[in-house]
Amino acid sequence: LGAAPQLEAGSDLVRTEGGSPQQDETAPRIRWRRATCTLSEQILLGESCEVVPCVSPHPGDSNGDCLFDANDVAFTLVYLLERAVGFNSARGARVQELMSTVNSTLDALDFNKDGDITSVDLGACNLGNLDVIRSISMLDAEPIQCFRGECTLSTKLGVVKKDGSPASITDTAVFVHVATMSSELAGDLLDGNLTAGALVLPFKTSGSFGVFLRAKLSASGLFVTRLLFVPTAENATLGVTYLVVTPLSASTPAFEPYQFIQGGRLEGDFEYSGDISVATTL
């Protein structure tokens, strides 16, 4: 007789002396119960455990498990599917419970921060998981402030990499596309004083005018622009759109139609208009 078989935890394989693992239909499965878990794991998986809060969630962590990985891509797809049928299933109910309980998850689902959760966010989340594009941790396009005839246009964008570390000028470039339907206002912008950032180029498309600025890294992962100008146009609106470029995304033009543009929510006097396509190489 050989040595007694040894069961492996979590498996129904039996190791026999001198042989490879074999399937044993009578061998019991052994499950380990985790002592701790995240709130999302408790809600989505029904884990019975002590909940450990996620103090600093990654901006791409859509499923709330305090990690940004392929599971967030899968969860974004699940969310879109469940929303399409009105969350009318047991899984859909758990998804809704997670959204209402873990506030950061709903914001993370909107990966490109345009105010809508669509299949575009699914694609962007996938590219973010592959570290082709970055995640936006903070977006702040401040309403234009004017004093004694001079106005200030300020933008701030927080950018982090897949591992949660802040982006730097060695691996990320941030451009700010400032668009307007008024050629007069576009001229005012070009005549302005750029105190943070650098002018890349002026542009004109069909019915749209404006400038492309390269943002300055002012703090860890924080890219800013600040433009002072004297407006001569009246009742003209400006649109602000962010263009986040990494060495990998810049060298992969197939991603260009949708992955570069990170559109901001409408803030104050800002309203995006125009359809701009720019190729940039670091």
Side-chain angles (χ1 to χ4, degrees):
L1 295 176
Q6 295 179 349
L7 290 179
E8 295 183 339
S11 171
D12 57 3
L13 295 178
V14 175
R15 289 193 181 278
T16 58
E17 185 177 3
S20 59
Q22 300 176 2
Q23 192 78 17
D24 184 356
E25 297 298 334
T26 64
R29 290 180 178 270
I30 301 175
R31 290 181 175 272
W32 298 108
R33 177 173 295 178
R34 288 185 293 178
T36 62
C37 66
T38 64
L39 183 58
S40 69
E41 289 169 332
Q42 187 183 67
I43 294 173
L44 296 176
L45 304 179
E47 295 282 358
S48 177
C49 55
E50 179 184 352
V51 173
V52 177
C54 181
V55 179
S56 300
H58 189 286
D61 178 22
S62 62
N63 71 349
D65 65 356
C66 220
L67 296 172
F68 178 42
D69 53 23
N71 289 326
D72 296 296
V73 182
F75 182 78
T76 301
L77 176 59
V78 167
Y79 174 86
L80 292 172
L81 292 174
E82 291 295 340
R83 187 182 65 179
V85 295
F87 300 100
N88 190 24
S89 70
R91 184 178 66 174
R94 291 195 298 271
V95 169
Q96 283 191 308
E97 182 183 356
L98 178 65
M99 298 294 100
S100 61
T101 307
V102 185
N103 296 330
S104 62
T105 55
L106 192 60
D107 189 61
L109 283 166
D110 181 18
F111 197 92
N112 69 354
K113 300 295 181 282
D114 65 351
D116 294 315
I117 301 171
T118 67
S119 59
V120 174
D121 294 297
L122 176 61
C125 183
N126 183 48
L127 292 174
N129 176 57
L130 297 174
D131 214 20
V132 175
I133 62 176
R134 305 289 184 232
S135 298
I136 293 178
S137 59
M138 187 274 291
L139 179 61
D140 185 11
E142 301 175 1
I144 297 175
Q145 303 292 326
C146 297
F147 180 70
R148 293 183 178 178
E150 184 178 63
C151 297
T152 302
L153 169 64
S154 298
T155 66
K156 298 177 183 177
L157 188 72
V159 184
V160 298
K161 296 184 286 188
K162 179 188 175 181
D163 62 6
S165 62
S168 69
I169 57 174
T170 62
D171 55 43
T172 307
V174 173
F175 297 87
V176 181
H177 161 216
V178 185
T180 178
M181 306 302 288
S182 168
S183 59
E184 188 177 4
L185 181 55
D188 298 334
L189 297 175
L190 286 173
D191 292 337
N193 179 23
L194 191 62
T195 60
L199 176 67
V200 178
L201 52 85
F203 67 83
K204 179 183 181 301
T205 63
S206 177
S208 179
F209 311 86
V211 294
F212 256 100
L213 309 175
R214 180 162 184 167
K216 173 185 177 181
L217 184 66
S218 69
S220 180
L222 182 64
F223 294 80
V224 302
T225 62
R226 190 167 186 267
L227 177 64
L228 307 179
F229 64 99
V230 177
T232 58
E234 296 182 1
N235 300 321
T237 59
L238 287 176
V240 178
T241 299
Y242 294 96
L243 182 71
V244 181
V245 183
T246 70
L248 185 54
S249 66
S251 65
T252 315
F255 294 144
E256 185 175 349
Y258 60 89
Q259 119 291 350
F260 285 160
I261 298 297
Q262 305 281 358
R265 294 184 176 87
L266 299 184
E267 295 283 348
D269 297 332
F270 294 97
E271 181 182 29
Y272 174 68
S273 60
D275 183 11
I276 311 301
S277 177
V278 173
T280 306
T281 302
L282 293 178

